[in-house]
DNA sequence: AACGGCTCGC
DNA sequence: CTGCGAGCCGTTC
């Protein structure tokens, strides 16, 4: 069974560990030096108290800054046993369903392979970007759309889409084949083999000290990248099931990063849009494209959504143009118009960039820091990359802080009240629980309350709830299919 | 084993 | 020339 402690321990040199994990209480307490690292998961499984201590180098550094020491002691350390419980709960998967999907995917891939070989006039490996590049750009003389960082002509998804749109058959076949191949190799083939024979469930490992922004990461298996975008992908979610008599419940923060941007920037327009409970992309479209809310077209909303995401990622007008497939001038007009309508956001971004250059780091609302050694680099590419990170990290990191606080609150509720509910997964802005069907309404309301009160921002924190259909996770986390509950907890 | 290229998620 | 991850396959050493 995976365990977050193992990751932290392995990072420390043996004999002089920078991080010490104590398991058990009083006389029963042992340190990591006294036990077999392989058995840490086992000790944790006995629900022992887990204590995390920092030693010589790290602790003085943390202690010198109040906000960092506080974050460590009140958030990260208490989270250790919460993550341990999350990992031990595990998720039930329907292995037979996945195996059937593997067979279907194999058939689909074989058909596509035959067609692709026919189209190319000879057989080749559809999994080899190198061979595809040879056929595309040497044999078929297709135009080179973009290049990889190493200078080779790219055959990435966006390139294949563009070539397919130009009417070329082979790129479309490869595109479809890649999609199926990814689903089969990563999910439908792999997941059944990762079911723990003792529990009949898959137990991921959450990593607390990997992502620079403070997010968690997940591995073996990674439960934070289960497909959802395509129909074939969503079918994989159907294999994540609740035990009989229980239901899967997913609760996700609505637009948490944009809400954090509103809070940090104190932009009047953004604050009032969220206060009014507006669809934020629609509201942005109305502002930028000078229409009333009702007159926003789907196209305009799509553009506004791209602008909003671009802002969170520190994207330039050039990047926006590429994303929207419009000219650079038009994209620049959109950006200018946006900042005219939301001047507080521009000031926030300028302020953040300035702070990064002066201090060498940026921080989240709760004082988590990200140091940016490249922020004053003479290398333009490195410097601008660091500036984009400086813009993104406070928002991504604050969202991570908030959901960690929510996880502590939810865990405390479950440990104290002992409702028939178990947290199973965290996916950055979403918590997934398994809840006894009879208890669904009460659990959903408690869950929502704990998540929405995890932080006090200048805008409301809003949580969307989804309940699995026929105990399955299939319809969860697809915004437009949610049955949104107002605030009464009744779908 | 390490890396490049690609694709899955938020 | 949009942020943060994990993991697969092919290729190279």
């Amino acid at each position: 069974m995976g365990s977050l402690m193992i990751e932290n321990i392995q990072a420390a040199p043996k004999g002089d560990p920078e991080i010490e994990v104590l398991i058990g209480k009083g006389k029963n307490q042992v340190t990591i030096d006294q036990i077999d690292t392989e058995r840490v998961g086992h000790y944790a499984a006995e629900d022992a108290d887990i204590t995390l201590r920092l030693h010589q180098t790290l602790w003085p550094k943390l202690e010198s800054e109040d906000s960092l020491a506080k974050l460590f002691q009140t958030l990260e350390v208490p989270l250790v046993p919460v993550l341990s419980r999350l990992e031990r709960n595990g998720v039930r998967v329907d292995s037979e369903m996945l195996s059937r999907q593997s067979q279907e995917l194999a058939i689909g891939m074989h058909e596509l392979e035959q067609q692709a070989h026919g189209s190319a006039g000879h057989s080749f490996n559809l999994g080899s970007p190198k061979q595809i590049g040879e056929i595309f750009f040497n044999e078929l003389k297709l135009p080179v759309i973009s290049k990889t960082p190493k200078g080779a002509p790219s055959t990435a998804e966006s390139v294949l889409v563009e070539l397919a749109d130009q009417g070329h058959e082979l790129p479309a076949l490869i595109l479809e084949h890649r999609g199926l191949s990814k689903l089969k190799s990563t999910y439908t083939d792999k997941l059944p083999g990762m079911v723990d024979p003792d529990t009949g469930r898959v137990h991921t490992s959450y990593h607390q000290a990997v992502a620079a922004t403070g997010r968690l990461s997940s591995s073996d298996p990674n439960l934070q990248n289960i497909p959802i975008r395509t129909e074939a992908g969503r079918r994989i979610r159907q294999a994540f099931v609740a035990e009989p008599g229980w239901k899967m419940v997913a609760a996700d923060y609505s637009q948490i990063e944009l809400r954090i941007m509103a809070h940090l920037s104190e932009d009047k327009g953004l604050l009032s849009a969220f206060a009014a409970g507006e669809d934020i992309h629609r509201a942005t479209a109305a502002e930028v494209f000078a229409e009333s809310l009702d007159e926003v077209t789907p196209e305009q909303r799509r553009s506004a959504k791209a602008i909003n995401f671009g802002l969170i990622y520190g994207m330039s007008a050039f990047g926006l143009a590429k994303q929207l497939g419009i000219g650079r001038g038009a994209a620049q007009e959109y950006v200018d118009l946006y900042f005219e309508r939301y001047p507080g956001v521009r000031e926030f971004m300028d302020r953040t960039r300035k702070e990064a250059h002066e201090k060498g780091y940026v921080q989240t609302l709760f004082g988590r820091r990200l140091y940016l050694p490249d922020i004053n680099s003479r290398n333009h590419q490195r410097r601008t990359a660091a500036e984009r990170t400086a813009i993104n990290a406070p928002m991504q990191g604050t969202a991570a802080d908030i959901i960690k606080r929510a996880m502590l609150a939810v865990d405390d509720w479950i440990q104290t009240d002992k409702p028939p509910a178990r947290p199973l997964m965290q996916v950055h802005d979403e918590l997934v629980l398994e809840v006894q069907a009879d208890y669904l309404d009460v659990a959903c309301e408690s869950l929502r309350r704990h998540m929405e009160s995890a932080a006090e921002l200048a805008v409301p924190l809003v949580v969307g709830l989804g309940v699995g259909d026929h105990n399955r996770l299939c319809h969860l986390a697809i915004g437009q299919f949610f049955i949104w509950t107002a605030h009464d907890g009744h779908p």
Side-chain angles (χ1 to χ4, degrees):
Chain A
M1 193 177 296
S3 170
L4 121 96
M5 292 74 72
I6 292 175
E7 294 300 319
N8 288 346
I9 292 154
Q10 285 176 340
K14 279 206 165 163
D16 183 21
E18 190 61 39
I19 300 167
E20 177 185 32
V21 179
L22 302 174
I23 295 165
K25 285 183 184 171
K27 267 205 304 190
N28 296 325
Q29 191 170 75
V30 292
T31 74
I32 191 59
D33 292 332
Q34 296 168 298
I35 62 171
D36 180 352
T37 306
E38 288 296 312
R39 283 175 54 84
V40 169
H42 174 75
Y43 278 84
E46 289 165 3
D47 218 12
D49 272 9
I50 300 159
T51 311
L52 205 147
R53 290 183 183 168
L54 296 192
H55 286 196
Q56 303 88 320
T57 317
L58 289 178
W59 179 245
K61 279 184 170 174
L62 269 182
E63 199 185 27
S64 66
E65 296 294 337
D66 286 349
S67 72
L68 295 181
K70 189 181 167 198
L71 199 70
F72 179 73
Q73 289 177 320
T74 66
L75 195 64
E76 299 298 349
V77 172
L79 196 64
V80 172
V82 176
L83 294 178
S84 176
R85 282 190 274 277
L86 209 56
E87 293 179 356
R88 279 178 282 134
N89 283 341
V91 190
R92 190 168 185 241
V93 298
D94 184 340
S95 293
E96 286 171 16
M97 175 183 277
L98 289 173
S99 299
R100 284 196 298 276
Q101 290 185 20
S102 278
Q103 291 172 20
E104 291 172 25
L105 289 168
I107 293 167
M109 285 167 66
H110 183 71
E111 279 174 16
L112 290 165
E113 190 179 24
Q114 296 297 314
Q115 291 176 37
H117 289 172
S119 178
H122 60 87
S123 87
F124 66 99
N125 185 345
L126 270 78
S128 166
K130 197 181 170 191
Q131 292 182 35
I132 292 170
E134 169 68 21
I135 292 168
F136 277 15
F137 307 114
N138 291 339
E139 295 177 20
L140 300 176
K141 310 280 188 214
L142 300 184
V144 176
I145 308 291
S146 70
K147 296 198 169 182
T148 68
K150 277 205 84 184
S154 170
T155 68
E157 182 179 6
S158 59
V159 172
L160 297 184
V161 167
E162 194 164 333
L163 292 173
D165 285 348
Q166 290 176 15
H168 299 290
E169 179 189 43
L170 196 50
L173 294 170
I174 292 168
L175 206 48
E176 203 175 339
H177 184 273
R178 270 198 193 150
L180 300 189
S181 169
K182 171 80 179 182
L183 295 180
K184 184 170 185 294
S185 63
T186 310
Y187 304 104
T188 61
D189 285 352
K190 275 290 182 313
L191 281 171
M194 303 194 81
V195 172
D196 186 308
D198 294 336
T199 63
R201 299 163 78 98
V202 292
H203 301 267
T204 186
S205 294
Y206 285 104
H207 310 282
Q208 210 174 344
V210 171
T213 52
R215 273 189 177 181
L216 298 177
S217 76
S218 158
S219 71
D220 309 292
N222 180 353
L223 294 184
Q224 292 179 326
N225 70 346
I226 302 300
I228 193 162
R229 234 176 61 237
T230 65
E231 178 51 38
R234 283 195 288 276
R235 290 185 61 204
I236 290 169
R237 292 205 164 211
Q238 296 181 15
F240 286 77
V241 294
E243 71 170 86
W246 293 53
K247 293 273 191 188
M248 295 288 250
V249 173
D252 78 323
Y253 283 112
S254 162
Q255 305 295 351
I256 189 165
E257 291 186 5
L258 283 174
R259 287 172 196 272
I260 290 164
M261 187 167 89
H263 177 88
L264 294 175
S265 70
E266 297 179 292
D267 180 274
K268 283 179 187 165
L270 217 47
L271 289 175
S272 65
F274 278 122
E278 284 171 16
D279 169 346
I280 195 63
H281 301 316
R282 177 173 294 274
T284 302
E287 287 287 351
V288 174
F289 304 113
E291 306 278 344
S292 75
L293 272 175
D294 302 333
E295 288 169 359
V296 171
T297 65
E299 172 73 16
Q300 288 170 333
R301 187 181 181 281
R302 200 177 62 82
S303 299
K305 190 174 175 180
I307 293 172
N308 281 332
F309 272 100
L311 286 164
I312 291 172
Y313 296 155
M315 189 169 65
S316 64
F318 182 93
L320 183 65
K322 210 171 96 182
Q323 177 71 31
L324 289 177
I326 59 176
R328 198 176 169 176
Q332 188 61 55
E333 277 179 38
Y334 288 4
V335 172
D336 290 344
L337 220 47
Y338 180 94
F339 283 133
E340 219 170 276
R341 297 283 188 261
Y342 300 101
V345 175
R346 165 174 272 165
E347 284 160 26
F348 162 66
M349 304 232 158
D350 290 344
R351 196 165 67 235
T352 305
R353 229 176 264 117
K354 186 159 174 277
E355 184 186 343
H357 281 284
E358 285 170 2
K359 295 182 175 167
Y361 62 83
V362 288
Q363 49 196 346
T364 67
L365 185 60
F366 299 95
R368 182 190 302 279
R369 281 186 193 176
L370 178 61
Y371 283 87
L372 299 159
D374 280 345
I375 196 70
N376 291 313
S377 168
R378 257 69 70 197
N379 180 321
H380 178 264
Q381 198 176 325
R382 291 166 79 107
R383 189 176 63 251
T384 51
E387 285 175 348
R388 290 192 294 275
T389 303
I391 298 292
N392 173 260
M395 295 183 270
Q396 191 183 121
T398 300
D401 295 342
I402 290 173
I403 197 166
K404 283 177 171 177
R405 289 161 64 103
M407 291 168 78
L408 293 185
V410 168
D411 181 75
D412 187 58
W413 156 52
I414 288 174
Q415 295 299 312
T416 305
D417 293 359
K418 301 192 173 12
R422 323 181 175 100
L424 305 181
M425 303 197 274
Q426 188 258 39
V427 193
H428 307 308
D429 66 350
E430 173 185 15
L431 296 178
V432 180
L433 279 74
E434 190 175 28
V435 178
Q436 212 168 74
D438 299 344
Y439 190 72
L440 208 53
D441 288 353
V442 185
C444 285
E445 209 32 57
S446 291
L447 180 60
R448 180 201 297 281
R449 188 165 45 81
H450 287 300
M451 288 179 71
E452 290 186 344
S453 58
E456 201 69 47
L457 302 185
V459 293
L461 272 179
V462 174
V463 166
L465 282 169
V467 177
D469 179 37
H470 298 109
N471 299 346
R472 301 181 189 287
L473 190 58
C474 57
H475 288 162
L476 301 187
I478 311 169
Q480 61 268 40
F481 295 137
F482 273 1
I483 302 164
W484 294 91
T485 54
H487 268 88
D488 57 6
H490 295 286

